[in-house]
Amino acid sequence: MTAPFLHIRGLRKDYGIVNAVKDVNLTVERGEFMTFLGPSGSGKSTTLYILAGFENPTAGDILLNGESLIATPSHKRNIGMVFQRYTLFPHLSVGENIAFPLKVRRWGKAAIDARVRKMLQLVRLEGFEDRKPAQMSGGQQQRVALARALAYDPPVLLMDEPLSALDKKLREEIQHEIRRIHQETEVTILYVTHDQEEALRLSDRIAVFSKGVIDQIGTGPELYADPATRFVAEFIGDSDFVTCRILSAKDGRADLSIGAGASISGVPVHGTAVAGGTAALMLRPERLSLRREAAREGTSGLSASVTDITFLGSSIHVAAAAPSGETISVRLPFGHEATSGLSRGDTVSLDFDPETAHVFCG
Ligand SMILES: Nc1ncnc2c1ncn2[C@@H]1O[C@H](COP(=O)(O)OP(=O)(O)OP(=O)(O)O)[C@@H](O)[C@H]1O
Ligand SMILES: [Mg+2]
């Protein structure tokens, strides 16, 4: 069996009594775009810095093509890096910034000039080589940082929230550029963000970080359709949770009841389901349909009372209170017949396909 391209194994990092990374395990394929997504303090940057060689792990190993990188100093790892804030040398021109890693590697002048031209083309900044970083916009500076990181053709590129200092429009523009550059260069990218939309837009696969471990790794659609934990369900897509009671559970599916009313069969279940125990039922706003009557016996519906109706352009958002008082959101297309004349206080039935819901126990 051939070794995976990049393999992170049992990675742990302690800073004194702070356990920043607990146990991170991950394989990345050559050419893959892998994103670390997770809340602040979950260990994303620490994992990246260990990969870059800026930090030593407390335990664990990193293998590139089957060989450990741990003993290799940072500057010999051949790993490109782009950070959150602009890290260009302010006194050097754009061209000199891009040439810098090539000079360090003792490339000849002609080869450097040709490469700098090629990189400026790649990031679409031809004609900017004599500018100083301070004479450019934030987005342009990040494109120079990207050109500099890719100049020596590293097999792996690490990016730590490179767009978080930019406004939304510019961020989307550069996300598009990063996608194109990834496709053109086929470099393997490990990308850190806490923005789920950015992760979904860019990545082949996403590793969801929580408290120093990876909760789940998968493509965006996999994480959305089949979240392994409540945390992942909350982090990818929109979701609400309703307390339910487990009636029975078998083969990864549960039958459950909500309040005094509806019983629902065949909902995918995660964790250890105990008959008679309570659990959290996850519902996604775009997966619910709304009928303007109380839930009928024998349907997968639950009765709720409308608390708010918000017009959001192409969609209408209805908030409704379950009998337990918990809020459930429903997103319906603008003009949907069920929303015409709907008002606060109306009793409605929210229906869903049990397969699209999930129950989280424990
Ligand atoms: N040099 C350090 N000394 C002590 N604790 C640290 C150090 N670096 C990170 N930590 C702690 O380790 C944990 C993980 O930090 P890390 O920077 O990896 O999080 P992150 O997921 O990148 O968060 P963010 O989204 O805020 O950048 C945090 O609790 C942080 O406070
Ligand atoms: Mg970070």
Side-chain angles (χ1 to χ4, degrees), residues 1 12 30 43 68 76 98 117 130 139 253 259 268 289 310 335:
M1 216 178 81
R12 180 188 172 100
R30 183 189 292 275
S68 176
K76 294 212 169 126
I98 299 172
R117 262 200 310 281
D130 296 326
R253 295 283 184 279
S289 62
T310 318

Side-chain angles (χ1 to χ4, degrees), residues 78-97:
N78 255 351
I79 290 180
M81 183 105 199
V82 179
F83 295 97
Q84 179 171 10
R85 298 267 160 201
Y86 327 122
T87 46
L88 299 175
F89 303 114
H91 57 290
L92 297 184
S93 69
V94 165
E96 288 163 341
N97 263 284

Side-chain angles (χ1 to χ4, degrees), residues 41 43-46 49 84 160-161 192 194:
K44 308 178 300 289
S45 295
T46 305
Y49 295 161
Q84 179 171 10
D160 192 359
E161 310 222 20
V192 168
H194 53 247

